[in-house]
Amino acid sequence: MKATKEVKIEDLSNSDPQLAELNTEAFLKLPPPYENWDDEEVQQLTDEQKGRLEATLDGIISVQLTKPDSQEEKDQKVARFLEGLAKLLTKENNWTFLQPLLLSMENCVKCQTCNDACPVYTASGNQDIYRPTFRAEALRKIINKYLKPGGKILPKFRGNDIDLNWNVVARLAELSYRCTLCRRCAQTCPIGVDNGLINREIRKLFSQELGINVVELHKSGTVKQLETGSSTGMNPQAFMDVIEFAEEDIEEKTGLQLKVPIDKKGAEYLVMHNAGEFLSWPENLQAFTILFEAAGIDWTLSSEMLGYDSVNYGLFYDDVQLARIALTHATIAKDLGVKKILQGECGHAHKAFMPISDRIFVGDMNLPRESCFPLLEEIVFSGKIKFDPSRNDFPVTMHDPCNIVRNMGIVQPQRRILHKLCPQFREMTPNGVENYCCGGGSGFAIMQSANFPDWRNKISGRMKFKQVLDAFQDCIEPETQKYLCAPCSNCKGQFRDLLEHFEAWDRCSIMYGGLVELIVNAMVDLKEPFHEWDFH
């Protein structure tokens, strides 16, 4: 068994061709039927990729950072990094997270309690570079040595033993995308230090000051969304085509002739979905339509540019992009004259448009914004619709999306629904605010470049896959069809890849889906089951 190499903070500046080696034999072990699962070596980069892109952290590429052509270019980027870091610590330039950032930077006591709470660190076999404090400690040493008065006087004696060079900058850029921003570390910290926030601010520094970010989040994410109306590239006309298809599909499945309300002025709710629901999981949109119409909810969707896509990837890496999209969403809702904005089953959209946008919206732009889950609970328990739980009489477990549960405290509504409508519902361990990230958080679910997906499946999603298997151990055989309820579009994207990677449908008959589909599947008025097992 190859030993895991110890990596120290000061090693970030060295010229080693690769700082950390990933050892599959040390990865977190999985329960049956994966006790003998063969984890092949993490996909290696091609010689062309190694020659063109910076990959000396761990042999994984997420940022696709091109190697500078000269030492002069390296020195310029290092100088810009240091200038950006200084700006990050001033109220004039950091108008979203300055106070929690400074508190977290100044108060860590290095107890390392957070390490074992991190699913990436533990699943990797305790790789030093993946511990939650590693990035923060590196940043702290750089600040103390290069930005504080007298920092370069006896730096090693003061513990600031790091030499800021291009290797440090390039490795920090990659390292900021080895954390899913689930903030489980912050919850575990005895004094509330938020290493997840620090990591996010590192991403922001790189994006806003150096133009270094992830293609899928920026160019193919927020930039495309602002240009076309959706991060998927779906323009308003394509959106209307999707709605037409959804109406036809609802009629074909259920016999119901329903019209999805579009651009209805003065509606109670403007409902916003992640566009992934329209293109990858249309049954979620259809289920919301069936349920809301049956319950008499006064609602509408918007066909305006951006109005139909709740995605806001700026949450993960860039305050400017976050604000541009959030303000556009609020303007659309204001122009429609709706009373409230309702977020569908998308975790990051919940966080971006509610607690984070509270830092952006002022005056009449600060419209009421709500989560769909309390409303779904109200509908289920209102008595207006009859449900037959026996229609959901198959094993069901639930994944808690970090941004909805841990980061916003919406824990019980979805549980009360499942306890009522799913006779074989069972919890994962741990669950609720103690949950583990799906492994696709902070944008990871859509990042498909180079060998990053292999790393995501083997490491960042590994702890969650173990939780799923543990929850179904009493019926793990493939003869029993099982439902993994994941009420979040990004989480579903991660589970799609994760379950495929581990061949979970063939080996265990585990399928994933949302919450509202289970609700509609239990509706007595529907003659045929809404849920289709062959959807897989």
Side-chain angles (χ1 to χ4, degrees), residues 418-482:
L418 291 178
H419 278 294
K420 179 178 175 65
L421 299 183
C422 300
Q424 296 189 55
F425 172 62
R426 73 281 307 282
E427 291 277 18
M428 294 186 194
T429 303
N431 58 69
V433 297
E434 300 287 345
N435 78 313
Y436 282 107
C437 177
C438 66
S442 79
F444 283 9
I446 63 166
M447 290 165 56
Q448 303 293 342
S449 299
N451 58 356
F452 187 81
D454 198 41
W455 179 90
R456 169 164 50 86
N457 288 325
K458 285 185 168 72
I459 296 180
S460 73
R462 196 178 191 88
M463 180 65 79
K464 176 52 63 174
F465 185 59
K466 180 181 184 300
Q467 276 197 291
V468 175
L469 294 175
D470 285 340
F472 289 132
Q473 276 301 295
D474 65 324
C475 55
I476 199 64
E477 69 283 347
E479 290 75 21
T480 303
Q481 294 176 324
K482 298 167 278 290

Side-chain angles (χ1 to χ4, degrees), residues 109-338:
V109 296
K110 301 179 183 179
C111 68
Q112 309 300 339
T113 302
C114 57
N115 291 346
D116 289 338
C118 175
V120 174
Y121 175 75
T122 52
S124 70
N126 299 352
Q127 273 285 348
D128 287 323
I129 61 170
Y130 297 155
R131 58 182 170 86
T133 52
F134 194 94
R135 290 161 285 256
E137 288 173 12
L139 205 65
R140 198 172 288 114
K141 288 176 182 287
I142 294 169
I143 292 170
N144 290 340
K145 181 175 180 179
Y146 292 92
L147 295 181
K148 289 189 176 181
K152 293 184 179 180
I153 300 174
L154 300 175
K156 289 188 177 181
F157 179 76
R158 296 183 176 190
N160 303 327
D161 44 349
I162 190 169
D163 294 320
L164 181 59
N165 57 21
W166 173 247
N167 291 330
V168 175
V169 172
R171 285 165 174 165
L172 270 179
E174 274 294 340
L175 192 55
S176 68
Y177 289 91
R178 300 298 184 271
C179 163
T180 66
L181 307 184
C182 78
R183 299 178 70 238
R184 201 170 190 268
C185 56
Q187 179 172 281
T188 303
C189 178
I191 57 175
V193 168
D194 194 339
N195 285 299
L197 171 66
I198 294 173
N199 187 77
R200 192 269 180 186
E201 294 296 272
I202 295 174
R203 293 186 184 186
K204 181 172 79 177
L205 188 165
F206 277 109
S207 181
Q208 294 182 189
E209 300 301 326
L210 286 88
I212 295 172
N213 41 51
V214 168
V215 171
E216 292 91 342
L217 296 181
H218 185 65
K219 184 178 180 181
S220 300
T222 60
V223 172
K224 181 187 285 187
Q225 186 175 8
L226 290 163
E227 290 176 348
T228 68
S230 170
S231 58
T232 64
M234 180 174 61
N235 62 27
Q237 181 55 54
F239 164 72
M240 293 304 296
D241 291 341
V242 168
I243 296 303
E244 182 180 352
F245 168 80
E247 292 169 344
E248 293 172 355
D249 209 33
I250 289 172
E251 183 174 3
E252 183 179 333
K253 285 181 180 178
T254 69
L256 298 172
Q257 294 182 334
L258 301 179
K259 296 294 292 182
V260 178
I262 305 293
D263 299 327
K264 180 181 177 182
K265 294 279 187 179
E268 180 77 13
Y269 296 105
L270 168 62
V271 179
M272 298 190 69
H273 293 289
N274 184 313
E277 308 294 355
F278 299 128
L279 301 181
S280 298
W281 304 285
E283 67 279 2
N284 187 266
L285 165 67
Q286 294 167 23
F288 266 102
T289 300
I290 293 169
L291 185 66
F292 280 7
E293 291 300 299
I297 302 298
D298 181 18
W299 68 291
T300 187
L301 299 181
S302 169
S303 66
E304 290 293 318
M305 285 269 289
L306 274 77
Y308 47 84
D309 186 359
S310 65
V311 164
N312 191 339
Y313 292 140
L315 173 73
F316 301 138
Y317 77 101
D318 192 303
D319 285 350
V320 176
Q321 296 298 92
L322 167 78
R324 285 171 176 161
I325 292 172
L327 288 167
T328 304
H329 284 160
T331 301
I332 290 168
K334 186 172 179 291
D335 291 344
L336 271 176
V338 297

Side-chain angles (χ1 to χ4, degrees), residues 14 29 50 56 65 82 84 108 117 122 125 151 209 226 234 348 361 365 386 400 404 444-445 462 472 501:
N14 70 31
K29 303 306 178 187
K50 291 179 181 178
T56 64
L65 181 57
L82 201 56
C108 178
T122 52
E209 300 301 326
L226 290 163
M234 180 174 61
H348 92 269
F361 297 153
M365 295 298 286
K386 292 183 179 180
D400 288 297
I404 293 171
F444 283 9
R462 196 178 191 88
F472 289 132
H501 173 80

